[in-house]
């Protein structure tokens, strides 16, 4: 492996750079991490895959830019779950350190790309809700499917480029700079820049949703006052208000799950982390899977269109199960068995 300027606690690692970051020291800790990753990861992949299926199997839903952005969020969560669980469990539970610097940075870049795309998808959804509520008469002209797909393409390319910078050369081995205490081969300056990027995204999302909630409160007051005169308009506004509240719940869960990780990352840049805090960081990292697992549940409970699509899929599945029992072959077999009896 390339020689890097390791953090201060690297002297305890017997010279193996990768072992410096394997902070889980007891079987109980490794089993706990394995169970959390296995449970959250499996549920996350299943739930988000179901959301993707419900969106893209329903022509009426997949034509709406709002659900294209939600589909992008679900896709990012699926990719993050698969890449994160495989690399995280392989590294911390099975202590596999035989892969090269490039392979590790590729895995880390995949996780960073997925999380950044998930956060950016929430930002696009916030802007979509902002336009829908603040300029409802011009919404269909401003937010077209073509613009939505273009925005998603720019989003994913930008996130992949930023996440791939360490693999392209911005790492502490190539630059001979100080490595992060939390991630092998990652330069502290790059980690600081990535944290700033994430904080800017979160700030933009919070500002957009603050305005959305303010306008939503105005719409609620309007609906209560003019409910009898504008039924159709109130119905559309009520849908916008419900979707806005749903996405705010998604944002609240996102902040709750990722705040511990981001705070520890920031602390690692300005201070020295103890072994105990590094173990805490490893366990807090699994909260990203919990976040990805909760998002589809919120969609299912709050989105009437997705819930209706799910009911249609379940009804179709039940009819498929009943079809063999009600087929002529099954009926004739049943009659013959009765005659023989």
């Amino acid at each position: 492996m390339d020689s890097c300027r390791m953090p201060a606690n690297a002297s305890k690692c017997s010279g193996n750079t990768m072992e410096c970051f394997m902070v889980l020291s007891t079987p109980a800790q490794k089993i706990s991490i394995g169970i959390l990753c296995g449970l959250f990861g499996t549920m996350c992949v299943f739930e988000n895959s179901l959301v993707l299926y419900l969106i893209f199997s329903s022509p009426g839903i997949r034509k709406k830019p709002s659900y294209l952005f939600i589909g992008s969020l679900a896709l990012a969560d699926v990719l993050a779950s698969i890449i994160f669980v495989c690399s995280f469990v392989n590294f911390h539970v099975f202590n596999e350190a035989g892969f090269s610097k490039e392979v590790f940075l590729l895995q880390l870049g995949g996780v960073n790309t997925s999380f950044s795309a998930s956060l950016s998808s929430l930002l696009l959804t916030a802007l979509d809700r902002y336009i829908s509520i603040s300029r409802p008469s011009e919404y269909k002209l401003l937010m077209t499917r073509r613009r939505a797909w273009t925005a998603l393409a720019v989003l994913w390319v930008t996130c992949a480029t930023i996440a791939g910078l360490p693999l392209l050369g911005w790492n502490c081995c190539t630059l001979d700079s100080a490595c992060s205490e939390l991630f092998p081969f990652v330069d502290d300056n790059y980690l600081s820049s990535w944290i700033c990027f994430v904080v800017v995204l979160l700030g933009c999302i919070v500002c957009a949703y603050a305005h959305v909630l303010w306008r939503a409160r105005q719409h609620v007051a309007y609906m209560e006052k003019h409910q009898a005169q504008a039924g159709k308009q109130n119905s559309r506004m009520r849908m916008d208000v419900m979707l806005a509240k749903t996405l705010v719940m998604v944002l609240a869960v996102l902040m709750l799950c990722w705040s511990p990780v981001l705070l520890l990352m920031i602390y690692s840049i300005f201070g020295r982390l103890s072994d105990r805090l590094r173990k805490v960081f490893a366990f807090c990292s699994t909260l990203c899977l919990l976040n990805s697992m909760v998002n589809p549940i919120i969609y299912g409970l709050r989105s009437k269109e997705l819930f209706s699509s799910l009911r249609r899929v379940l009804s179709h599945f039940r009819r498929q199960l009943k079809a063999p029992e009600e087929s002529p072959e099954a009926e004739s077999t049943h009659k013959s068995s009765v005659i023989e009896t």
Side-chain angles (χ1 to χ4, degrees), residues 72-84 107-121 155-156 159-160 163 194 254 258 291-292:
S72 175
L73 176 63
L75 176 62
D77 287 337
V78 168
L79 294 178
S81 300
I82 295 174
I83 301 173
F84 178 86
Q107 293 175 350
L108 184 63
V111 175
N112 287 345
T113 298
S114 302
F115 170 61
S116 301
S118 176
L119 198 59
S120 300
S121 298
L155 177 158
W156 280 91
C159 292
W194 188 81
L254 178 77
W258 279 93
N291 167 239
S292 299

Side-chain angles (χ1 to χ4, degrees), residues 24-57:
L24 303 182
S25 55
T26 65
Q29 294 173 353
K30 295 180 180 181
I31 292 174
S32 299
I33 285 288
I35 292 175
L36 289 175
C37 289
L39 178 62
F40 292 163
T42 302
M43 293 298 297
C44 176
V45 171
F46 171 75
E47 292 172 359
N48 284 284
S49 298
L50 179 61
V51 169
L52 287 172
Y53 175 77
L54 294 178
I55 290 176
F56 291 101
S57 65

Side-chain angles (χ1 to χ4, degrees), residues 81-94:
S81 300
I82 295 174
I83 301 173
F84 178 86
V85 169
C86 293
S87 58
F88 196 79
V89 171
N90 191 45
F91 185 80
H92 283 290
V93 177
F94 298 107

Side-chain angles (χ1 to χ4, degrees), residues 178-222:
C179 294
S180 167
E181 292 188 346
L182 295 173
F183 306 101
F185 313 120
V186 174
D187 180 74
D188 266 339
N189 292 326
Y190 170 79
L191 183 60
S192 302
S193 301
W194 188 81
I195 292 174
C196 291
F197 170 67
V198 171
V199 170
V200 169
L201 285 178
L202 288 173
C204 293
I205 293 173
V206 170
C207 291
Y209 277 128
H211 188 83
V212 167
L213 284 181
W214 176 65
R215 293 301 297 265
R217 289 194 63 182
Q218 290 184 327
H219 283 180
V220 170
Y222 177 85

Side-chain angles (χ1 to χ4, degrees), residues 59-76:
I61 294 179
R62 68 168 179 260
K63 292 180 180 179
K64 298 182 179 180
S66 301
Y67 289 101
L68 290 179
F69 300 146
I70 292 177
S72 175
L73 176 63
L75 176 62

Side-chain angles (χ1 to χ4, degrees), residues 91-164:
F91 185 80
H92 283 290
V93 177
F94 298 107
N95 298 138
E96 289 291 336
F99 42 80
S100 63
K101 176 191 71 176
E102 289 74 17
V103 173
F104 179 84
L105 292 178
L106 180 62
Q107 293 175 350
L108 184 63
V111 175
N112 287 345
T113 298
S114 302
F115 170 61
S116 301
S118 176
L119 198 59
S120 300
S121 298
L122 278 177
L123 176 59
L124 289 181
T125 310
L127 295 177
D128 174 74
R129 288 299 90 202
Y130 172 81
I131 296 173
S132 175
I133 289 183
S134 62
R135 305 174 69 176
S137 60
E138 304 174 28
Y139 173 76
K140 290 186 177 181
L141 295 177
L142 295 174
M143 189 59 65
T144 62
R145 292 188 66 206
R146 182 176 180 179
R147 291 181 178 179
W149 281 112
T150 302
L152 289 175
V154 172
L155 177 158
W156 280 91
V157 171
T158 302
C159 292
T161 302
I162 294 175

